[in-house]
């Protein structure tokens, strides 16, 4: 496969995901500020996390297609996974409704046609998801004599 074609496909996939996350973070902020959202929210850390996601998404939209190698795309999938986990953590942990934001990140690496990018992105999503819900999971067993996990 031609390197230029591969980078063009990588650019289209990651730029499409960035546009999707720009819209989804706006929807997530509207959801969190709604009256019906029940989990506790830490607003200042959430705004910091959302600003990083916005900045990364806009920066990706402005980059030329020759920049999008496999390693570059994989690093941005990991970055999205980490910051989406932080957003889910600061909006209620296990009870957060923002875990839906992980679904496009699980499916998008398929568009690259590279097994390494897909496995790395899905591994990053799995680890980030576990870290986002770990504090609430451990809180449920803190006053018992049983092991936490």
């Amino acid at each position: 496969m031609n390197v230029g074609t591969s980078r063009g496909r990588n650019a289209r996939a990651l730029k499409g995901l960035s546009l999707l996350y720009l819209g989804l973070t706006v929807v997530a902020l509207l959801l969190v500020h709604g009256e019906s959202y029940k989990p506790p929210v830490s607003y200042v850390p959430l705004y910091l996390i959302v600003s990083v996601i916005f900045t990364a998404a806009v920066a990706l939209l402005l980059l030329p297609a020759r920049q999008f190698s496999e390693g570059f795309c994989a690093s941005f999938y990991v970055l999205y996974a980490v910051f989406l986990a932080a957003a889910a953590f600061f909006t209620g942990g296990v009870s957060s409704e923002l875990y839906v934001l992980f679904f496009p990140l699980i499916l998008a690496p398929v568009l690259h046609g590279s097994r390494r990018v897909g496995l790395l992105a899905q591994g990053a999503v799995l680890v980030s998801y576990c870290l986002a819900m770990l504090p609430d999971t451990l809180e449920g067993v803190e006053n018992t004599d049983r092991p936490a996990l």
Side-chain angles (χ1 to χ4, degrees):
M1 177 180 279
N2 188 2
V3 174
T5 306
S6 176
R7 288 182 187 229
R9 182 169 54 169
N10 289 345
R12 284 189 303 275
L14 202 52
K15 285 182 180 190
L17 184 72
S18 295
L19 280 173
L20 179 68
Y21 276 127
L22 280 174
L24 287 177
T25 52
V26 169
V27 170
L29 284 177
L30 292 174
L31 172 74
V32 167
H33 285 291
E35 294 290 326
S36 64
Y37 195 77
K38 298 294 181 206
V41 177
S42 301
Y43 287 109
V44 173
L46 177 65
Y47 292 148
L48 291 173
I49 297 299
V50 167
S51 68
V52 170
I53 293 172
F54 259 81
T55 304
V58 170
L60 279 175
L61 292 173
L62 297 175
L63 289 175
R66 67 177 181 273
Q67 189 72 33
F68 290 85
S69 65
E70 280 186 16
F72 182 81
C73 292
S75 65
F76 264 90
Y77 282 125
V78 170
L79 178 122
Y80 275 139
V82 167
F83 284 105
L84 289 174
F89 176 76
F90 288 122
T91 57
V94 173
S95 61
S96 176
E97 296 169 357
L98 298 185
Y99 285 113
V100 176
L101 296 177
F102 281 115
F103 291 133
L105 195 57
I106 292 171
L107 300 174
V110 174
L111 299 174
H112 291 281
S114 171
R115 186 174 291 160
R116 287 183 294 193
V117 172
L119 289 175
L120 183 65
Q122 290 176 356
V125 167
L126 179 67
V127 169
S128 298
Y129 177 81
C130 290
L131 289 176
M133 68 177 219
L134 186 63
D136 286 339
T137 305
L138 293 177
E139 184 178 290
V141 292
E142 72 182 15
N143 292 329
T144 64
D145 293 333
R146 298 184 322 212
L149 294 176

